[in-house]
Amino acid sequence: MRAKRIPLKISVAVLGALIVATAAGCSSGGGAGGPVWTAGSSTAPGTPAASGASTATPSGGSTASGNPSAGSTATPGPTASSWKTYSDTAKTVSFDLPSDWIAQSATPDAGSMPGALKIVVKDAKGGYLATLATGLPTASPADCSPAAKRPYVVVNSVPIDLPHADGDSTIPPHVVFRVIQGYKFFGSYGITNIVAGSDGQACQLRNLVMGPAGKGNYYFGDMPSVHPFATDEVVAPAKSFDTLDQAAKYVDQSSEFANVQRMLLSLKINL
């Protein structure tokens, strides 16, 4: 069943002010320090109220500090009228997708655990949308120096009930759409239970769920992680936006995201 969403609007000027303030003054550590601002607030901590600003509609109880939180969301674009369910032969995973989308089994990545799965989802025209991969080995994130960190924003976040590990660096799993600031705003959707950076800055945003002990990790999204791409890097399948307002409109108005979010939220995994 789709999560209910109610209208929620925030000021792009406020988000921009927070990004500037975060980049200039936040701690580079992974603790709870630094400003925390909840979408829907009229101002960010330490910033004046915006006046006459255009509005965007990031949703899902998102926080500009970067980590997903449960909450209300904005009105989405329309979803497909007809849906089907994909399940592997062992009934390990299942998810819903529009009837004209394609789910194809692929060879699991090297180093995956026995019984690992990899399913690639494409639209009706064969355009890539997402990958579900299970049985992934534990991998440490790449080194991230304070100077390499960039501000990021959780544009959309909805909780989902999935098997996961608990720890100091984890949260309950959420379906998210997040953007990180480089020469543009680079966005990615997926499922995660990993804290990206409580100071509102990160080197990368990982669409990864740490699974229960001995069961391996898994991800379901357009890519395993997104980072501030260099101008000579291939950005796709990540999304790129000139402004946060464009990112918010993609989330709140596009049928593609509405369908993708419904698909991600329907995921069921038996580990």
Side-chain angles (χ1 to χ4, degrees), residues 10-265:
I10 68 172
S11 165
V12 174
V14 172
L15 280 175
L18 179 63
I19 285 177
V20 172
T22 300
C26 283
S27 166
S28 62
V36 175
W37 176 79
T38 301
S41 307
S42 60
T43 58
T47 63
S51 60
S54 60
T55 57
T57 52
S59 52
S62 59
T63 59
S65 62
N67 291 315
S69 64
S72 59
T73 57
T75 303
T79 58
S81 58
S82 179
W83 289 70
K84 61 186 178 183
T85 300
Y86 172 89
S87 179
D88 67 299
T89 55
K91 307 297 183 183
T92 303
V93 301
S94 69
F95 58 88
D96 300 335
L97 68 165
S99 295
D100 58 355
W101 285 11
I102 305 162
Q104 298 175 319
S105 179
T107 302
D109 296 340
S112 297
M113 299 176 65
L117 297 172
K118 185 174 184 179
I119 299 100
V120 177
V121 179
K122 300 179 181 180
D123 63 22
K125 297 181 179 179
Y128 173 80
L129 289 169
T131 296
L132 169 61
T134 69
L136 301 175
T138 301
S140 300
D143 292 337
C144 180
S145 68
K149 290 185 176 182
R150 296 292 181 268
Y152 71 98
V153 174
V154 180
V155 182
N156 182 278
S157 176
V158 180
I160 181 173
D161 185 14
L162 289 170
H164 63 280
D166 293 315
D168 294 338
S169 61
T170 66
I171 57 174
H174 281 68
V175 173
V176 297
F177 184 85
R178 299 172 292 180
V179 295
I180 190 165
Q181 186 177 14
Y183 70 91
K184 288 189 174 185
F185 293 94
F186 300 105
S188 177
Y189 49 72
I191 298 174
T192 188
N193 76 326
I194 298 176
V195 173
S198 59
D199 56 0
Q201 296 187 340
C203 289
Q204 64 174 348
L205 308 175
R206 304 175 73 189
N207 295 323
L208 183 72
V209 175
M210 297 176 62
K215 300 298 185 179
N217 301 331
Y218 57 93
Y219 82 87
F220 195 14
D222 53 4
M223 56 198 312
S225 65
V226 63
H227 63 272
F229 293 89
T231 55
D232 59 349
E233 287 186 279
V234 176
V235 174
K239 310 293 182 184
S240 64
F241 307 95
D242 293 325
T243 66
L244 285 170
D245 184 65
Q246 290 178 0
K249 286 180 178 178
Y250 169 72
V251 165
D252 292 329
Q253 299 178 14
S254 73
S255 294
E256 178 184 270
F257 182 77
N259 284 321
V260 165
Q261 185 188 60
R262 178 172 171 179
M263 177 180 70
L264 297 179
L265 285 169

